[in-house]
Amino acid sequence: MSEKSPLLHYRLTNSTCSEPRDVCKHSGTKAGRGGRRSKDKPARKLGVVFGVVVPTLLSMFSVVVFLRIGFVVGQAGLYQSIAMFLVAYFIITMTVLSVCAISTNGALDAGGAYYMISRALGPEFGGSIGIMFFFANVCSSALYVLGLVEAVMSTFGIPEGKVFLLASLFLMYIMEVFDLFLNLTCLSLQVGAHIYAKAAFIVFLIVTTVLVSVFMSFFIVEPIVVILPDTSSLNSTSLSTANYSGFQLHTLEGNLLPEYTVDYTTGAMMSFVTVFAVMFNGCTGIMAGSNMSGDLKNPSYSIPRGTISAVLTTFVTYNLLSLLIASSCDRHLLQRDYSFLGDINIWPPMVTVGVYSSTMSAAMSNLIGASRILYALSKDNLFGGVLALAKKTSRSGNPWASVLVSWLLIQVVLFTGKLNTIAGIVTIFFLLVYAAVNLACLALEWASAPNFRPSFRCFTWHTCTLGIIGCLLMMFLINAIYAFSSIAFMLLLVMLIHYLGPISNWGYISQALIFHQVRKYLLMLDVRKDHVKFWRPQVLLMVANPRSCTGLMTFINDLKKSGLYVLGHVKLGSLGKTSKRRRWKCIFLTILILKLLVLNTGLKKAFTGGGMRPNTLVLGFYDDHTPEDHLQGKILLSSGHGMDDASPSMEPSEQRFPAFPSLRGTEEPKDLQEEEYVSVIADAVKMGRNVTLARYFNHFDREEVLGSGRKIRGHRSKTGPFVDVWPLNLLRPDTHGCVDVCSLFLLQLASVLQETRAWSQARLRLFLCVEAGCSLKKEEEKKLQVMLKELRISAQVQMVAWDQVVALHWQRQQEEEEAERGDGIQEFPNTPPQLADEYICAVNSLIRRHGAPQPAVRFLYLPRPPADTSHYHAYLHHLDLLSRDLGPTLLIHGVTPVVTTDF
């Protein structure tokens, strides 16, 4: 891809693009996730009315408006009916606001609510909610078919007696299958959604005409006596007739309060929640328009306007119709005849036509919605090859395979048999989906991402939260068992997709939320409130090349004690032509340390004036050791989770890290000179930072050190590794005592290492150098034991006699003092006394003699660099002699108090 200005991807997903191949390749998630190219996609032809308003109104009116509105008023009374509608429409209004916000924040593709949730909350929640939404549409389609069959059976009469029970059920199922077969035939003949939308508009006109006739009938039809359906199968002794009284005050008064009875279709006792579950199905069609998002010309424009218009229309219609019914129909009529609107209509067949038209249209609408969701799930490849069949489409782009699968599942649901039985399940599923939509919008709002700027602004996090609470509350009120089961099923799907699903590049809202919360709390850190008892190491590790520093990187990761750990690398040179290579270097470096580091950048206040700035600088030791490549023959896993052995069949060029530079050769000069290296140490100390020099960690193997046990004389020991601490400044033997800031810092770091889980079996050995003939030997040991007890540090104290070693120092010191007095030379204030190589080598030998068994790591006192820069070479030379051949060693200089005996 040419190096032009970067493309601005404003779509919410990996939509098919017409850019060069590289762009399309990186915009997709994986092979098979990107879908077809734009030339294979069907043209989007639907607008606000045909694509959103009509499908939403037909889905919301359907069964409830003709067959269950009287049931709701008859059972719950007018007051509770209006309360139910207010609660239901409050929930869906909050959800509609969230849908409008998400749909106006960029281009939408097929899938409706699934697309919105998955691209906001990530594939785990999106895929699980998508499956739940698919089942909700399947069950809802079956519910509408059952409503149609119920109307047909009521029209032609239900067979009497138990002899005809099986024949009646068989006839009902035959009618259900025939209806669904007609729907499937319409869709499988490559009839696109735009043609269905135009046909639905004709159905919408029919339903509107029927509703007008229903409203007119209340004002035209005179009072009549209605013959009720036969309910002898329920052993009911109620009357076989009921009255339509017209508008009467006593009729309205009799229908104001609730009167819950047995539902004559199921034999179950009704209550507020069961009636609400049935009623809420008249409000679940709000997603019918968003389900058509893949077929809309402009989803961001059509979905908000069409959905809000449909919701307002149905709300007014339902409440007005409830008031008219409560004012004119006897309670007994409402409870024993759910199809009474046909009996009191000016032309009874008119209502039957409306029921047939609306229920068939709603069933087909949900069938289309379910198929589109299933197709979107299969196209995103979240479930691997399980949904491979659902990807198949016709040449015009119609997903006929998804329609077929949805149709077959609807057949399974129809075996339940009764409308009111399915209603509770459908309501639970839809409420869970609505809660997820509100959660997606809430997460986007809380994340405060700059790219979340929907053109629809009539929402806040308060509306999203109220929507979530309302949905969850009604779920558990309707049926706690169904609610728990659906949530458990959703969580199971979340875990399956998380562990088995492919990685997507949709963007994870969790990462944005984590960043937002971390940033907020980081900015709340106040360095003025720091206290020594809450101190923890916050490490900046500078590495020259990660190839040779893997051992040190893993060890410092154990040493950080849940603190800040930043890996630093300084590269000198101009960007120029190598900028692309360095960019890849950064990517590989990030992948390599993904599980080790907490990279916090861009938080100016937190780092420059807050508590998240490094307090300890770790540098590799400056010596002539040739770097070793510990990444040779290793490759990064494709998931970015770590390293693995290279395949023998790979080319040699593929078995190495192309992003990391090759190691420095023996003849190549170092990037830093000795004076510059020591200057870094001196500057860090002046800035109040603790400094640590790490040596011989190229030989450190964490797995070997922290294995199941150390082999001693052929046997495996259960004891852990040793960590040796030498708290005395061995290059200044003239100093007495070991309890200074730097010594305590060594003890603290060693204790921190022991407190980590991996090093919990390690044993600390504390070596205190004393003169054998010193009268204070016992006193110093006792004092040290008391200090360790007060600091709650468990360590084995060993007293080391170093009389002969110190004698070498004093002998050389006396000779130098005599020479200086003769020459009149004035020392710099911070210049340490001149040390003989013989003395330092003797100290090194002393340390090695007292290192049995061999420790995993040693902690040594690092003296402060001299003030005179001309002594930098000698300073570095002394450190080299002191730590030579000691194995993994940390030379530590602490400048800040880090321990306390107070709580």
Side-chain angles (χ1 to χ4, degrees):
M1 185 171 59
S2 60
E3 296 185 3
K4 295 182 180 180
S5 59
L7 297 174
L8 176 62
H9 295 280
Y10 62 91
R11 297 179 66 86
L12 293 179
T13 186
N14 52 329
S15 57
T16 304
C17 57
S18 58
E19 301 296 332
R21 182 174 300 177
D22 288 346
V23 178
C24 291
K25 178 176 67 174
H26 292 295
S27 66
T29 54
K30 272 193 173 186
R33 296 283 297 267
R36 297 170 176 261
R37 292 188 179 274
S38 57
K39 64 180 182 180
D40 296 331
K41 285 189 175 181
R44 301 186 176 202
K45 301 180 179 180
L46 302 182
V48 177
V49 177
F50 289 101
V52 182
V53 175
V54 172
T56 304
L57 285 175
L58 289 178
S59 295
M60 297 184 73
F61 278 146
S62 63
V63 175
V64 173
V65 71
F66 293 116
L67 297 180
R68 288 299 183 268
I69 191 70
F71 161 79
V72 173
V73 176
Q75 296 285 346
L78 181 61
Y79 290 157
Q80 289 195 7
S81 297
I82 295 177
M84 288 181 184
F85 283 118
L86 290 175
V87 171
Y89 274 85
F90 173 80
I91 294 174
I92 67 171
T93 299
M94 300 299 102
T95 306
V96 166
L97 296 180
S98 299
V99 170
C100 294
I102 298 176
S103 63
T104 58
N105 189 53
L108 292 179
D109 208 340
Y114 157 69
Y115 187 89
M116 299 177 188
I117 297 171
S118 62
R119 270 51 177 184
L121 299 182
E124 292 88 356
F125 278 98
S128 58
I129 292 297
I131 290 293
M132 303 295 290
F133 196 31
F134 167 72
F135 284 134
N137 279 272
V138 166
C139 295
S140 184
S141 181
L143 181 144
Y144 295 139
V145 173
L146 287 173
L148 172 63
V149 172
E150 182 179 307
V152 173
M153 300 299 289
S154 176
T155 301
F156 293 97
I158 301 177
E160 297 182 3
K162 297 182 180 180
V163 177
F164 298 99
L165 180 59
L166 294 178
S168 176
L169 293 175
F170 178 75
L171 176 62
M172 181 181 293
Y173 186 72
I174 290 295
M175 296 176 64
E176 294 165 355
V177 173
F178 178 73
D179 174 59
L180 283 173
F181 180 75
L182 290 178
N183 294 343
L184 179 63
T185 302
C186 294
L187 293 175
S188 61
L189 293 177
Q190 297 184 7
V191 176
H194 60 287
I195 298 180
Y196 158 74
K198 293 181 180 179
F201 183 70
I202 299 176
V203 177
F204 171 71
L205 293 179
I206 296 174
V207 172
T208 303
T209 302
V210 174
L211 282 175
V212 171
S213 71
V214 168
F215 280 104
M216 292 176 60
S217 298
F218 286 108
F219 297 93
I220 296 176
V221 175
E222 297 292 332
I224 58 174
V225 177
V226 180
I227 300 176
L228 303 178
D230 181 23
T231 58
S232 58
S233 60
L234 299 178
N235 298 322
S236 174
T237 58
S238 59
L239 300 176
S240 60
T241 62
N243 296 322
Y244 166 73
S245 63
F247 293 113
Q248 298 291 335
L249 181 59
H250 67 85
T251 303
L252 176 61
E253 292 175 348
N255 289 326
L256 291 178
L257 301 178
E259 187 179 316
Y260 294 104
T261 60
V262 175
D263 174 23
Y264 74 88
T265 63
T266 62
M269 185 66 186
M270 294 292 98
S271 63
F272 179 90
V273 293
T274 55
V275 174
F276 179 85
V278 176
M279 182 277 303
F280 192 79
N281 284 277
C283 310
T284 56
I286 60 172
M287 292 292 186
S290 61
N291 288 343
M292 306 289 290
S293 57
D295 301 290
L296 299 175
K297 290 181 182 178
N298 188 352
S300 298
Y301 177 85
S302 302
I303 291 177
R305 289 164 176 79
T307 305
I308 292 176
S309 300
V311 168
L312 290 176
T313 301
T314 55
F315 178 75
V316 173
T317 302
Y318 281 142
N319 282 277
L320 183 58
L321 190 57
S322 299
L323 178 60
L324 295 176
I325 290 174
S327 302
S328 60
C329 298
D330 183 65
R331 170 87 64 154
H332 191 62
L333 174 63
L334 301 179
Q335 294 177 343
R336 290 292 178 264
D337 187 1
Y338 298 158
S339 59
F340 73 97
L341 288 178
D343 299 327
I344 66 173
N345 196 269
I346 52 179
W347 187 51
M350 178 71 75
V351 175
T352 303
V353 173
V355 171
Y356 293 172
S357 301
S358 62
T359 51
M360 287 184 63
S361 176
M364 186 177 291
S365 175
N366 280 270
L367 179 59
I368 289 180
S371 65
R372 291 301 191 270
I373 296 169
L374 184 62
Y375 175 66
L377 285 166
S378 63
K379 191 171 65 172
D380 286 338
N381 199 28
L382 294 181
F383 297 92
V386 177
L387 301 179
L389 176 64
K391 293 182 181 180
K392 298 183 180 297
T393 61
S394 64
R395 285 179 294 179
S396 62
N398 189 40
W400 62 269
S402 298
V403 176
L404 178 61
V405 173
S406 303
W407 179 78
L408 292 174
L409 288 177
I410 292 174
Q411 298 303 306
V412 176
V413 177
L414 288 175
F415 279 107
T416 56
K418 295 299 180 181
L419 186 150
N420 287 3
T421 303
I422 301 177
I425 302 175
V426 175
T427 300
I428 294 292
F429 280 178
F430 274 110
L431 283 171
L432 184 59
V433 173
Y434 294 166
V437 172
N438 285 296
L439 178 62
C441 187
L442 177 64
L444 291 171
E445 178 69 10
W446 274 356
S448 300
N451 283 322
F452 183 64
R453 44 178 181 271
S455 56
F456 182 86
R457 299 302 305 172
C458 297
F459 79 100
T460 64
W461 68 269
H462 303 86
T463 61
C464 301
T465 304
L466 289 174
I468 295 172
I469 295 174
C471 290
L472 295 178
L473 182 63
M474 292 312 303
M475 282 176 58
F476 286 95
L477 286 178
I478 292 172
N479 194 311
I481 297 178
Y482 286 172
F484 275 117
S485 300
S486 60
I487 293 176
F489 180 60
M490 182 196 71
L491 294 178
L492 176 62
L493 292 174
V494 168
M495 291 187 292
L496 288 176
I497 299 176
H498 177 74
Y499 289 107
L500 303 179
I503 298 176
S504 72
N505 69 345
W506 302 338
Y508 291 79
I509 192 63
S510 59
Q511 298 302 305
L513 289 174
I514 291 173
F515 175 84
H516 181 267
Q517 293 302 110
V518 168
R519 173 186 174 275
K520 181 176 72 174
Y521 288 114
L522 283 178
L523 294 178
M524 293 172 61
L525 289 176
D526 190 348
V527 68
R528 297 170 299 178
K529 298 179 181 179
D530 285 347
H531 194 276
V532 63
K533 64 184 177 183
F534 300 120
W535 180 90
R536 67 181 67 237
Q538 298 183 165
V539 183
L540 170 60
L541 171 62
M542 302 298 296
V543 297
N545 194 322
R547 292 180 180 276
S548 60
C549 301
T550 55
L552 179 59
M553 290 161 56
T554 55
F555 178 78
I556 298 301
N557 182 62
D558 291 334
L559 190 63
K560 72 179 188 300
K561 184 59 176 177
S562 303
L564 178 68
Y565 185 18
V566 178
L567 190 67
H569 172 71
V570 178
K571 185 66 177 177
L572 302 179
S574 59
L575 294 176
K577 298 180 180 179
T578 62
S579 59
K580 185 175 182 180
R581 178 176 178 84
R582 292 200 175 112
R583 182 167 60 251
W584 280 107
K585 184 190 302 182
C586 294
I587 295 174
F588 274 80
L589 186 63
T590 303
I591 296 174
L592 176 65
I593 60 177
L594 183 62
K595 285 192 173 181
L596 303 178
L597 307 182
V598 180
L599 297 178
N600 296 282
T601 57
L603 302 173
K604 182 177 180 181
K605 177 181 176 183
F607 276 99
T608 59
M612 284 297 288
R613 53 184 179 182
N615 55 33
T616 303
L617 174 66
V618 181
L619 302 173
F621 195 79
Y622 193 95
D623 55 19
D624 296 328
H625 174 75
T626 302
E628 300 176 9
D629 193 349
H630 299 292
L631 299 181
Q632 184 67 35
K634 299 285 186 178
I635 60 175
L636 287 177
L637 295 178
S638 58
S639 62
H641 289 170
M643 296 180 294
D644 200 358
D645 293 333
S647 172
S649 60
M650 295 177 61
E651 296 294 333
S653 60
E654 297 177 350
Q655 296 187 10
R656 53 196 304 271
F657 288 78
F660 297 147
S662 58
L663 295 175
R664 175 178 56 85
T666 55
E667 303 297 332
E668 297 180 20
K670 297 181 179 180
D671 293 335
L672 289 178
Q673 300 301 318
E674 292 181 347
E675 292 76 10
E676 295 174 326
Y677 178 81
V678 180
S679 295
V680 172
I681 301 174
D683 292 342
V685 172
K686 293 176 183 178
M687 295 172 62
R689 299 296 184 267
N690 310 298
V691 178
T692 299
L693 306 184
R695 190 175 192 184
Y696 294 122
F697 276 88
N698 56 315
H699 299 152
F700 179 79
D701 189 338
R702 185 176 184 271
E703 297 299 327
E704 180 180 349
V705 171
L706 302 178
S708 58
R710 294 167 54 88
K711 289 185 177 180
I712 301 178
R713 295 182 181 179
H715 299 282
R716 202 173 283 275
S717 173
K718 295 183 180 180
T719 61
F722 288 98
V723 177
D724 289 358
V725 181
W726 295 77
L728 184 65
N729 186 354
L730 300 177
L731 298 185
R732 292 291 298 269
D734 53 333
T735 58
H736 297 284
C738 62
V739 186
D740 63 358
V741 172
C742 186
S743 301
L744 293 176
F745 187 80
L746 266 70
L747 288 175
Q748 179 75 325
L749 283 188
S751 177
V752 166
L753 181 66
Q754 188 185 34
E755 290 174 4
T756 60
R757 180 178 300 178
W759 291 79
S760 59
Q761 299 299 321
R763 293 187 293 174
L764 300 185
R765 295 188 300 191
L766 185 60
F767 296 91
L768 182 61
C769 297
V770 296
E771 298 180 16
C774 181
S775 59
L776 300 178
K777 178 180 178 180
K778 293 294 183 181
E779 183 180 346
E780 290 290 337
E781 182 179 3
K782 182 178 180 180
K783 182 178 179 181
L784 182 59
Q785 293 284 6
V786 172
M787 182 191 69
L788 292 176
K789 183 178 180 180
E790 291 179 349
L791 296 177
R792 291 87 62 201
I793 296 177
S794 176
Q796 176 186 352
V797 179
Q798 295 187 17
M799 310 302 290
V800 178
W802 67 332
D803 300 66
Q804 297 179 356
V805 176
V806 174
L808 296 175
H809 168 72
W810 291 122
Q811 181 180 355
R812 175 63 183 270
Q813 181 70 12
Q814 184 177 2
E815 294 175 357
E816 290 182 354
E817 289 179 356
E818 293 177 357
E820 289 172 359
R821 282 195 296 267
D823 298 337
I825 299 176
Q826 179 69 33
E827 283 189 344
F828 286 91
N830 290 332
T831 301
Q834 296 298 320
L835 298 174
D837 291 353
E838 183 181 5
Y839 162 74
I840 301 177
C841 291
V843 173
N844 176 267
S845 178
L846 178 71
I847 296 174
R848 286 190 281 111
R849 286 200 310 269
H850 289 81
Q854 178 70 22
V857 64
R858 287 183 171 93
F859 288 69
L860 302 184
Y861 192 115
L862 175 66
R864 188 184 184 97
D868 187 357
T869 57
S870 63
H871 292 169
Y872 280 0
H873 174 76
Y875 173 80
L876 200 56
H877 175 66
H878 293 164
L879 297 180
D880 175 48
L881 295 178
L882 177 65
S883 58
R884 183 170 295 177
D885 298 329
L886 292 183
T889 303
L890 293 181
L891 295 161
I892 302 171
H893 185 83
V895 297
T896 56
V898 294
V899 295
T900 179
T901 58
D902 298 330
F903 178 71

